[in-house]
Each structure stands twice: as structure tokens, then as C-alpha cells.
Amino acid sequence: MKRRQLLTLLVGAATARPIRSFAQQSVKRPVLGFLVAGSQASHGAWVTTFAQRLSELGWADGRNVRIEYKWAAGDVQKTEEFAGDFVRQKVDVIVTSAYGVVAAKQATSTIPIVFAAYGDAVANGFAASLSRPGGNVTGLSIQPGELSSKRLELLREAIPSVRRLAALVNINYAGLKQELAGMRVASARMNIELNVIEIATANDIEPAMAKLSGHTDALYVYSEPLTNANKSQIIAATASAKIPTIFAFREFVDAGGLLSYGPNFSDLFSRAAEYTDKILRGATPADMPIQQPVKFDLIINLRAAKSLGVSISDSVLMRADEVLE
């Protein structure tokens, strides 16, 4: 009898241990660290798009995955601090964009990093090639050099009288080198005088905008988290000075800017969720090709044009994806 009891206990112990272990494993959920380069006002809709697409792919926040959000609002120091926080927490994936990619890569070479929008990852040393990145970083590239040239061409076609152009530039912007190079080539080709105005923090914006009145025919805003988070201030200043503006994000035009041309960022953040899904299911960033935008939007604000006293050429209006009237 005692022998039977001993055998029963041994068998019970052997079978119970895996069950407890499985229960513990099933409770553990992967953690995503979403390092948002902007603010809730500037990036909230894009982040929501990411979360919705991730849910469609089977990952519901709070059920089988946990998403932790940190909002840097274009602040470089906060971005770096938040990246370090995620590494210390040992999150499973870091999702980010813009300077967040730089901060995350500086903080870790092992945790997978998915970028929803970044410049040239190969030129900046974060990937060996677009087809095979080879490291812990992958995502969506936004081709800053090519697009800056295209925007300048659109601006000149929309408003042929532009001869002097100011460019508001965040010196911490990850894609600055490539975008500025494209601007210089295009402005020289079109015989436009280019004046680069540098900023680094939100406190630099007001004095920078004060330099524009009477010294430029239009303003090109390098659209990134810092300028996006402070777009209302920028647009109010240019409206008061009657200066036409061109941006990369349609959100600037929705807020009162004149023109925008660039990738559809909602689509980019949705596609970033697809990268994240694959990594959560076992894929590695090293083998996941960096992709480029497939949707580009030209948005024109005729209300802003009217208040500025400018007329947009019909050739550009006909190509617009959306005209705000």
C-alpha cells in the first residue's frame, strides 16, 4: 500500500510540474516599448493606427501583449532617456520613428527595433542594406533627399514667384543631411536663394520665426517630431507674416498650413505593426527588408491660400490628392 502511495505521489509530481510551468508561460505576455518621437497631439492618430493594425493581426494590448508608450515630444534628451528605460525593462520590441531610431540603436544592439518612419538607415550605419539589414533594426524608410527636391519643385510650380526660400531645420533631425542635400541641389537648379534657419528645441522656434518677415518668399519646414509638436506656433507666425509654407505631413495643412507632400504616415505606422507582428512570431530584423512608402499625398489648403493672398497654379491643383476649401 505504501508503495502504491509513493508511486502515485511520484507520478503526480511529474505530471503537475509541466502543467504549472505551462501556466506560468501562458501568463507571460510580450512587451512592446513604443518610443513615440512626438506628442499625443502630433503623433496620436498614427500610434492609434499602429495599435489597430496590430490588433487586427491578433495582438490585443492588455490581453496577449502589453504596449508601453513614452511620448518624447521632439525632446532629444527625453528620447534618449526613454530608450534607456525600455532597454532596462528588457522589452521584447522597441517601436519608434525619427530620432527615436538613433536613441534606441545607441541603447541596444540586441532588442529588435522597428521604425515606422526614418531616413536612410543604410547611410546612417544602422543597416547593411535595404534588402538584408543584418542587425537589430528594420522598418520603413521615407527617402528624405528625393522628397525634399520634389517638394521644392511643387512649391515653385504652385507659386512661380518664389525666389527666396527659408528652411526651418531641427539640427537633431535624423534625416537632416540627406534632406538638406536634396534641397541645396534643387534650389541651385531652380535659381532659388536658400536660407537655412536652425533650431534644436521648442524655445528656438519663436526667435527663428521672427527672422522671416520681409526676408523670404516662402518657408519650407523640415517636418519631424519637434516641428510637428509645435506646428500651431509655426503656422500662426507664418500666417501673421503672410508667408506661404510647405511641409511633409498633411497634419500641418489640416492645422492651417498651405501645402504638404509626402508619405502617408498612417499607412507607414500600419505597416510598422506588420513588422512587429512578424517579430513577435519569431522573425528577426536582420532578415527583414527595409521597405519604402507606397502612398504619397499632395494636400493643398485653399483657405490658407486665400488668407495669404496667393493663387495656386491649376497644374498643381489638378494633381492634389485633397484640396481643403
Side-chain angles (χ1 to χ4, degrees):
M1 193 70 177
K2 291 182 179 179
R3 184 180 177 189
R4 286 201 193 98
Q5 289 175 342
L6 179 60
L7 287 171
T8 300
L9 288 172
L10 289 173
V11 170
T15 56
R17 189 174 295 113
I19 292 172
R20 286 198 300 271
S21 177
F22 176 79
Q24 290 170 352
Q25 289 175 8
S26 64
V27 169
K28 186 181 184 301
R29 294 169 295 183
V31 180
L32 304 185
F34 204 134
L35 176 50
V36 188
S39 64
Q40 290 185 330
S42 67
H43 283 57
W46 301 339
V47 171
T48 298
T49 299
F50 171 91
Q52 288 175 341
R53 181 58 181 144
L54 197 64
S55 178
E56 291 170 357
L57 294 167
W59 301 97
D61 187 13
R63 182 169 60 83
N64 60 351
V65 70
R66 181 160 59 90
I67 307 177
E68 292 200 7
Y69 300 96
K70 291 185 181 294
W71 305 80
D75 187 306
V76 169
Q77 184 174 349
K78 283 184 178 179
T79 305
E80 294 173 348
E81 290 174 358
F82 292 157
D85 289 344
F86 282 145
V87 173
R88 283 186 289 275
Q89 291 176 36
K90 298 181 180 179
V91 299
D92 295 278
V93 184
I94 296 175
V95 181
T96 189
S97 63
Y99 185 75
V101 184
V102 179
K105 182 58 180 173
Q106 288 175 344
T108 180
S109 59
T110 56
I111 296 174
I113 299 168
V114 173
F115 57 86
Y118 185 67
D120 193 333
V122 176
N124 291 323
F126 297 153
S129 68
L130 294 179
S131 61
R132 193 175 179 82
N136 66 319
V137 180
T138 190
L140 291 307
S141 171
I142 56 173
Q143 306 167 291
E146 298 174 25
L147 290 177
S148 63
S149 177
K150 178 66 175 178
R151 289 187 196 104
L152 186 49
E153 292 169 1
L154 282 168
L155 176 64
R156 185 60 169 283
E157 187 177 351
I159 310 174
S161 61
V162 171
R163 293 290 180 271
R164 299 172 301 170
L165 179 68
L168 187 66
V169 174
N170 177 5
I171 59 173
N172 296 311
Y173 170 42
L176 175 60
K177 182 178 179 180
Q178 293 87 2
E179 192 157 349
L180 190 55
M183 283 285 291
R184 293 193 188 283
V185 171
S187 61
R189 184 176 69 248
M190 289 181 274
N191 196 28
I192 292 177
E193 178 186 332
L194 179 63
N195 176 29
V196 177
I197 300 174
E198 297 181 346
I199 60 173
T201 70
N203 293 332
D204 299 331
I205 294 176
E206 183 176 355
M209 301 305 290
K211 300 176 182 179
L212 299 178
S213 185
H215 295 91
T216 189
D217 301 319
L219 176 67
Y220 181 112
V221 177
Y222 280 60
S223 305
E224 42 74 43
L226 177 62
T227 54
N228 198 359
N230 294 277
K231 58 181 174 287
S232 296
Q233 179 184 0
I234 294 169
I235 291 168
T238 53
S240 176
K242 300 292 184 182
I243 298 172
T245 49
I246 187 164
F247 309 92
F249 306 160
R250 73 156 297 150
E251 285 72 16
F252 284 86
V253 177
D254 290 335
L258 181 62
L259 300 166
S260 70
Y261 177 75
N264 184 302
F265 274 72
S266 292
D267 180 64
L268 292 178
F269 275 71
S270 176
R271 291 167 65 191
E274 296 170 4
Y275 274 82
T276 305
D277 167 62
K278 292 176 181 177
I279 290 172
L280 290 174
R281 297 182 190 278
T284 60
D287 302 323
M288 300 172 68
I290 294 171
Q291 297 180 9
Q292 297 178 344
V294 294
K295 293 183 179 181
F296 294 86
D297 297 326
L298 171 59
I299 314 296
I300 301 174
N301 189 336
L302 285 186
R303 296 193 299 269
K306 183 177 180 180
S307 66
L308 291 169
V310 299
S311 178
I312 305 296
S313 68
D314 290 339
S315 62
V316 174
L317 284 172
M318 290 176 63
R319 299 205 303 275
D321 294 279
E322 187 173 345
V323 176
L324 307 183
E325 298 186 80

